[in-house]
Amino acid sequence: MDLAALLDRIADDVAPEVGRGAVADYIPALARVEPGRFGMAVAEVDGAVHGVGDWERPFSVQSMSKVFTLALTLSRGDGVWARVGREPSGDPFNSLVQLEHEDGIPRNPFINAGALVVTDELARHGDAADALLAFLRQESGHADIAVDPEVAASEAGHADRNRALAYFMASYGNMRHPVPEVLDQYVRQCSIAMSCGDVARSALFLARHGVRNDGSRLLGLSAAKRINAVMLTCGTYDAAGEFAYRVGLPGKSGVGGGIVAIVPGRCAVCVWSPGLDARGNSVAGVAALDRFTTLTGWSVF
């Protein structure tokens, strides 16, 4: 399949969707991003990478980082599953309501409360954001990947809801480290800037059933499968059912406008367009992945 030509066709097909939606204005640094940007990259399991549009332009990965942090945590053991569930939330990603009903145990690792727990668990082995950066630099092949300091400062200054989530979980004994430390590491991981190509290359271990780009194994087959399963059911906030229906791939979105998706055994895909729908997912990004699976016939079903 000529993936370069396919990406050009997808970009043409979804052009009317680019610029639709609204950028994430609750983080001031993200509110200044141009909504008309669009990029898409496909990294094949043999290492070949194809892209279109702004696929080499860095953007704030935000919640896409949660996939990689979860993988690093599970590579050190599966104890985190005693602290976070694996069920779709059905509520907004920063909701406090479920935590109260479920005694401080987040529904899944991809809502904010769950991701804070995962970061807290990874922090048992050192600074979680530093570990994530080291992993992403190695997998992408770009040693200059870094935290965007403007985004980090902006996000840290508007983190009251995440701070409340963390302290609420701490009151139930579900935080191991001081909340300010965990929140700092969490904000830095979400503020990492990467391009679509970088993200797709970094996510290939999930398409390769746990094997990294250097041939070493990060995860066992079962752990890789289970991350993909949680991505499929929980990766796009409270629109995961609609995403599974339209796209049919494990995916994880971020309010920076990115979505990473996995075709097991074939490739990893990343698309970026900053305009978000009401549930926090890229409007053009979802449309592009819908076209991708329609044109290729690739899905997990």
Side-chain angles (χ1 to χ4, degrees):
M1 185 176 295
D2 186 344
L3 287 175
L6 178 77
L7 290 175
D8 287 338
R9 178 176 176 183
I10 291 171
D12 289 339
D13 289 348
V14 304
E17 304 295 319
V18 176
R20 290 189 56 210
V23 296
D25 58 2
Y26 66 93
I27 300 173
L30 297 185
R32 296 190 285 273
V33 178
E34 301 170 56
R37 295 285 181 180
F38 175 85
M40 187 172 184
V42 178
E44 299 183 84
V45 292
D46 64 3
V49 182
H50 314 272
V52 68
D54 297 310
W55 72 284
E56 295 179 295
R57 182 184 180 94
F59 63 94
S60 185
V61 298
Q62 292 296 310
S63 287
M64 289 194 300
S65 66
K66 298 171 183 177
V67 171
F68 302 104
T69 307
L70 177 62
L72 289 175
T73 302
L74 292 176
S75 73
R76 293 160 168 82
D78 61 0
V80 71
W81 293 128
R83 304 177 58 196
V84 63
R86 297 183 290 269
E87 294 294 332
S89 68
D91 284 322
F93 58 86
N94 58 357
S95 174
L96 280 157
V97 175
Q98 281 182 335
L99 278 178
E100 185 168 12
H101 285 301
E102 297 174 359
D103 298 331
I105 302 295
R107 208 38 106 73
N108 66 68
F110 295 147
I111 56 175
N112 288 13
L116 286 162
V117 168
V118 174
T119 297
D120 182 53
E121 183 76 12
L122 185 57
R124 294 173 56 205
H125 307 279
D127 187 286
D130 287 348
L132 177 60
L133 268 175
F135 176 81
L136 294 174
R137 287 167 176 167
Q138 186 168 355
E139 293 306 290
S140 68
H142 286 166
D144 58 348
I145 287 174
V147 172
D148 184 321
E150 181 186 4
V151 174
S154 182
E155 193 160 346
H158 295 77
D160 288 344
R161 180 65 67 94
N162 286 333
R163 190 172 292 108
L165 291 167
Y167 276 116
F168 192 84
M169 291 186 293
S171 75
Y172 280 95
N174 200 18
M175 295 294 283
R176 305 290 187 259
H177 299 87
V179 166
E181 292 180 14
V182 176
L183 194 63
D184 172 70
Q185 294 176 47
Y186 175 76
V187 165
R188 284 189 285 119
Q189 83 178 38
C190 290
S191 302
I192 291 171
M194 298 174 69
S195 70
C196 290
D198 291 333
V199 174
R201 278 188 290 263
S202 298
L204 273 174
F205 72 95
L206 288 171
R208 295 199 195 100
H209 312 293
V211 176
R212 298 179 62 167
N213 288 332
D214 64 3
S216 64
R217 180 168 288 282
L218 177 70
L219 299 169
L221 294 173
S222 292
K225 177 195 73 175
R226 288 166 179 165
I227 290 177
N228 282 332
V230 179
M231 288 173 69
L232 181 67
T233 58
C234 307
T236 47
Y237 309 124
D238 50 334
E242 179 67 16
F243 185 83
Y245 177 81
R246 287 187 63 183
V247 176
L249 294 175
K252 182 71 196 85
S253 60
V255 296
I259 307 175
V260 60
I262 306 298
V263 186
R266 291 187 181 271
C267 63
V269 187
C270 181
V271 60
W272 171 57
S273 190
L276 309 177
D277 62 23
R279 290 173 170 172
N281 300 306
S282 170
V283 174
V286 173
L289 288 167
D290 185 1
R291 291 297 292 150
F292 178 79
T293 53
T294 298
L295 293 172
T296 61
W298 296 344
S299 78
V300 294
F301 301 111

